Amino acid sequence: MVLPEESEFMDTILWGCIADDFMNAADAASFFEMGGLKTVLYDGIPKAETVPDSDIQAVVIALDLETAGKDKAVEEALSAFDFLSRINVKQYYYKFSLAFGSVFNVNVGPVSDALMDAVGETKTIICPANRFEDSAVERGKLYLDGVLSGINQPYSSLRNGEIAEIINLQSNLPCINVDLEEMLEDDDEVWNRLNAFEQQEGRYYIIPDCVDENDADRIVELFGSLRFLAGSSSIIKALVKKSPKKKIRIKNYSTSNGKAVIISGSCSDKTVAQCEKYISDGGKAFKIDAIRLLYEKVTIGDLWNFVSGNEDDTVLIYSSESADNVKYNQRHGAEEISRSLESSMSELVDILINNGYTRIIITGSKTVQSIIKEKLGYHSFFIGKSVSPGVPVITPVEKQDIRFVLKSSDYGDYDFFSKAIKVTEKKQ
């Protein structure tokens, strides 16, 4: 397909978003869609000839920036920017994980530096506060579940919660805090101070306080006109509320007539509790014994037989375990067990799709990647309704009869699985 003239996109694509992994991309995409923007998500940088539909209003690109080396992360982010600039997005957003304070993720600063320079801005916000994940920024410090970030996190570099401190470890650009009291001032007063700072320091980062949704709205009032912003889904939600929207008819990318199944590979405490809730409410389930699977005493055939034997019900196939049980099982080799589980679940989903299952709920970031990207090879998705904040129904552009719900870690209420089944079910 040939890339159209730039003028065809001038009034359609409002936002181009770069996310540091697939689940963060899905999170971001869900908020663009909830705000009424037709959204497409690309897993990886699209090919040069890729053309979004003419009525697309938000484009989200999922990259692997958390685990990449600094130079590679910057290169990938700039390649994604090049694609977005060619389709004439009006503003750019960088959605990064709350784990940006981890010693294992030091790329938020370098990527933000590079994107700010590419867009041509001299400043932007860095705001990881996300009320949907119980995180907040107050007086320039990040709080997770009411506790300073880094206090209970052994791999965090953010011991005292200071966001500027972690950015200064990653970037040479200075930071300035804008606290809640300052945000109550008139716009001119806030900007007089910031402009004076820029005159003295040059390019810089703004770290605004954000405790609740009203603060996110105020941040957008002050900084939403910047062409590049970085932060959380709370800011995306506030930005979209202010974005001009064209009324378009968006196809149903949420429901399907097909059968549903749940595949759970996440071992987070929330996901384990969600599995227990589904079973206690009467849901049928097959728990994969990871050790028996590794030694082929449980096979993919056993999993398929259980699903097909209960085809009138939505069943749960899960390997979710408590942390203690995971650690105990890893005596047999953590990598070997992980590969065995991911391979088996991937094969099972392939069989399910070939047998009329079109509503597939999957948990676990690694499980999702193994199934969606590596096994099925899907790379672009339309975004449907959200089952819970940050977890949308997604439809592969390559196979539009399928509805996936992909969840990682602690997203969703305890009855998440029941909600996902209901949201994806097409009413007769």
Side-chain angles (χ1 to χ4, degrees), residues 166-227:
I166 202 68
I167 294 300
N168 290 154
L169 290 173
Q170 303 178 12
S171 168
N172 292 324
L173 300 186
C175 301
I176 184 169
N177 296 339
V178 179
D179 62 31
L180 294 174
E181 292 82 2
E182 289 171 318
M183 288 200 295
L184 293 175
E185 297 172 352
D186 291 338
D187 291 12
D188 287 345
E189 292 182 70
V190 175
W191 276 111
N192 285 341
R193 176 173 171 245
L194 295 177
N195 289 337
F197 184 81
E198 180 174 353
Q199 198 167 27
Q200 178 178 323
E201 301 289 344
R203 297 166 67 232
Y204 68 104
Y205 288 112
I206 302 161
I207 300 174
D209 279 6
C210 187
V211 175
D212 59 32
E213 193 165 346
N214 291 331
D215 299 330
D217 290 338
R218 178 57 177 148
I219 289 169
V220 169
E221 287 178 359
L222 282 166
F223 309 117
S225 62
L226 296 174
R227 291 193 66 229

Side-chain angles (χ1 to χ4, degrees), residues 289-299 329 331-333 336-337 340:
D289 184 315
I291 305 306
R292 288 176 60 80
L293 182 72
L294 181 64
Y295 295 110
E296 299 183 354
K297 294 182 178 179
V298 173
T299 67
N329 287 341
R331 296 171 302 133
H332 295 261
E336 290 80 359
I337 287 176
S340 171

Side-chain angles (χ1 to χ4, degrees), residues 272-283 414-418:
V272 169
Q274 288 165 341
C275 291
E276 292 171 349
K277 170 68 173 170
Y278 186 74
I279 295 168
S280 68
D281 286 345
Y414 290 105
D415 59 350
F416 176 84
F417 294 142
S418 296

Side-chain angles (χ1 to χ4, degrees), residues 312-337:
D312 293 332
D313 300 294
T314 298
V315 301
L316 164 66
I317 305 294
Y318 71 113
S319 62
S320 305
E321 290 273 18
S322 68
D324 287 343
N325 285 344
V326 170
K327 187 175 181 180
Y328 183 78
N329 287 341
Q330 286 177 346
R331 296 171 302 133
H332 295 261
E335 290 187 11
E336 290 80 359
I337 287 176

Side-chain angles (χ1 to χ4, degrees), residues 216-387:
D217 290 338
R218 178 57 177 148
I219 289 169
V220 169
E221 287 178 359
L222 282 166
F223 309 117
S225 62
L226 296 174
R227 291 193 66 229
F228 169 63
L229 300 159
S232 69
S233 296
S234 286
I235 303 301
I236 293 175
K237 182 179 179 182
L239 285 166
V240 173
K241 283 195 289 186
K242 297 287 186 182
S243 294
K245 304 176 190 68
K246 283 187 173 181
K247 288 187 178 180
I248 60 173
R249 185 174 181 179
I250 299 178
K251 184 179 175 181
N252 175 7
Y253 293 118
S254 302
T255 64
S256 169
N257 286 321
K259 295 175 285 188
V261 68
I262 306 162
I263 308 292
S264 182
S266 169
C267 290
S268 72
D269 291 344
K270 174 63 76 67
T271 304
V272 169
Q274 288 165 341
C275 291
E276 292 171 349
K277 170 68 173 170
Y278 186 74
I279 295 168
S280 68
D281 286 345
K284 294 182 179 179
F286 185 110
K287 184 173 183 179
I288 301 173
D289 184 315
I291 305 306
R292 288 176 60 80
L293 182 72
L294 181 64
Y295 295 110
E296 299 183 354
K297 294 182 178 179
V298 173
T299 67
I300 297 168
D302 294 325
L303 305 182
W304 167 240
N305 288 338
F306 180 80
V307 177
S308 60
N310 293 280
E311 63 178 354
D312 293 332
D313 300 294
T314 298
V315 301
L316 164 66
I317 305 294
Y318 71 113
S319 62
S320 305
E321 290 273 18
S322 68
D324 287 343
N325 285 344
V326 170
K327 187 175 181 180
Y328 183 78
N329 287 341
Q330 286 177 346
R331 296 171 302 133
H332 295 261
E335 290 187 11
E336 290 80 359
I337 287 176
S338 179
R339 281 197 301 268
S340 171
L341 287 168
E342 289 163 13
S343 174
S344 297
M345 289 181 173
S346 297
E347 291 291 339
L348 177 61
V349 170
D350 196 26
I351 294 169
L352 291 167
I353 289 174
N354 289 324
N355 283 273
Y357 285 81
T358 61
R359 298 150 56 211
I360 303 174
I361 301 143
I362 307 173
T363 79
S365 297
K366 289 184 177 180
T367 306
V368 165
Q369 179 172 325
S370 175
I371 294 172
I372 302 298
K373 188 173 182 178
E374 297 171 9
K375 179 63 178 179
L376 301 178
Y378 299 145
H379 296 285
S380 53
F381 307 87
F382 291 121
I383 307 301
K385 292 181 180 178
S386 292
V387 177

Side-chain angles (χ1 to χ4, degrees), residues 49-68:
E49 65 271 19
T50 300
V51 182
D53 288 353
S54 59
D55 56 354
I56 289 292
Q57 296 164 299
V59 175
V60 181
I61 298 177
L63 301 176
D64 186 13
L65 301 182
E66 281 193 345
T67 56

